[in-house]
Amino acid sequence: MKQLTSSDWPRAEHFDFYLGFEQPYFSITTRLNTGSLYTLCKQRQLSFTFSYLYCLSKACQNYAPIRYRIVNSRPCVVEEVDMSCVFLREDRSFRFVPLVACEDIHDYIKKNDAQKKAFMDQPLVSEHFLATCDNPQQLYLSILPWLDFTSFSHARNAKDNLGIPKCVFGRLDPQTGELPFSVEVHHGLMDGLHVAEFIQEIETQCKILSEQLLA
């Protein structure tokens, strides 16, 4: 990872301003335009869920501010993001599943379907969870396919001071192709403009994947 300094990061003063806040996180909820991707996934019998998670991972690679973190009370940027996603088990409890980054969508779906199956039978607080929970490269994900929500708030650990973003996907509206999406970030690291640009990047990646599936 690389530390951000005032010489190459114009928000250094903003970081110092928000760092001492009791609650420095803010969230934005919107709807992603995923209609074309959903239709193509149905036609090609691909997992729509893993497809939009793949697009999210590509957006994280391409948009640096979503990779900004806080380490030893200083801002830095990590080179990669390790996404951890909540999935529901048959007994209606959930497990944390670490997702594997891949360049190809078919590899992504195959490998992460295997990840999901492997971690669903592990304890909630697994060895992997304990080994990675303090890793600033993390990005936390939840999926609520039962809800068309318009806002969201998260449970928070008092020690949660790394600035790790939290993203939530909701229930797709098949009529409009819109997918509810909430993202929570640390205000010392990002502003509303940066969240808007990140959301645009996710939609761009959905469009790119759609074009690849059409080719």
Side-chain angles (χ1 to χ4, degrees):
M1 68 184 69
K2 175 186 175 183
Q3 185 167 316
L4 299 170
T5 63
S6 56
S7 61
D8 59 10
W9 190 44
R11 294 195 72 262
E13 289 183 306
H14 302 69
F15 175 82
D16 292 337
F17 177 77
Y18 285 110
L19 185 61
F21 274 41
E22 181 178 351
Q23 202 299 90
Y25 292 85
F26 75 95
S27 63
I28 290 178
T29 301
T30 187
R31 283 176 167 77
L32 300 174
N33 184 0
T34 58
S36 297
L37 180 59
Y38 174 70
T39 299
L40 287 165
C41 287
K42 284 191 65 177
Q43 292 174 352
R44 284 153 178 75
Q45 298 182 325
L46 296 175
S47 166
F48 175 59
T49 298
F50 280 133
S51 293
Y52 66 66
L53 292 177
Y54 169 84
C55 293
L56 178 67
S57 70
K58 299 293 286 185
C60 290
Q61 291 178 18
N62 288 354
Y63 191 67
I66 202 66
R67 291 185 274 110
Y68 291 173
R69 300 292 186 270
I70 302 171
V71 178
N72 297 324
S73 299
R74 299 312 304 162
C76 66
V77 56
V78 298
E79 293 184 3
E80 299 177 353
V81 164
D82 296 328
M83 302 199 313
S84 175
C85 189
V86 169
F87 285 102
L88 195 70
R89 302 199 325 166
E90 290 185 2
D91 64 2
R92 300 168 69 91
S93 67
F94 67 84
R95 291 295 184 269
F96 302 110
V97 177
L99 302 179
V100 179
C102 301
E103 289 300 316
D104 178 77
I105 181 59
H106 300 284
D107 288 342
Y108 187 89
I109 292 174
K110 180 179 179 180
K111 291 182 179 180
N112 286 300
D113 186 55
Q115 283 284 99
K116 180 180 176 182
K117 291 176 180 176
F119 277 83
M120 292 301 256
D121 291 331
Q122 294 193 19
L124 176 65
V125 182
S126 63
E127 291 184 7
H128 182 275
F129 178 86
L130 292 173
T132 60
C133 62
D134 292 329
N135 185 343
Q137 291 186 190
Q138 294 284 302
L139 187 144
Y140 301 132
L141 306 171
S142 294
I143 301 173
L144 302 178
W146 323 278
L147 292 174
D148 178 15
F149 55 79
T150 57
S151 64
F152 200 90
S153 62
H154 292 269
R156 182 166 299 284
N157 190 313
K159 297 180 181 179
D160 184 3
N161 57 3
L162 296 173
I164 296 174
K166 296 179 174 66
C167 299
V168 185
F169 293 91
R171 182 181 65 196
L172 175 81
D173 184 337
Q175 301 300 317
T176 65
E178 293 181 337
L179 182 68
F181 177 72
S182 174
V183 55
E184 180 185 273
V185 298
H186 193 291
H187 212 342
L189 301 174
M190 294 176 68
D191 295 323
L193 170 64
H194 305 103
V195 173
E197 290 175 342
F198 176 58
I199 290 169
Q200 290 171 3
E201 182 62 31
I202 298 172
E203 291 188 327
T204 295
Q205 293 302 322
C206 288
K207 182 179 179 181
I208 291 172
L209 178 56
S210 297
E211 292 171 350
Q212 291 173 349
L213 294 176
L214 278 171

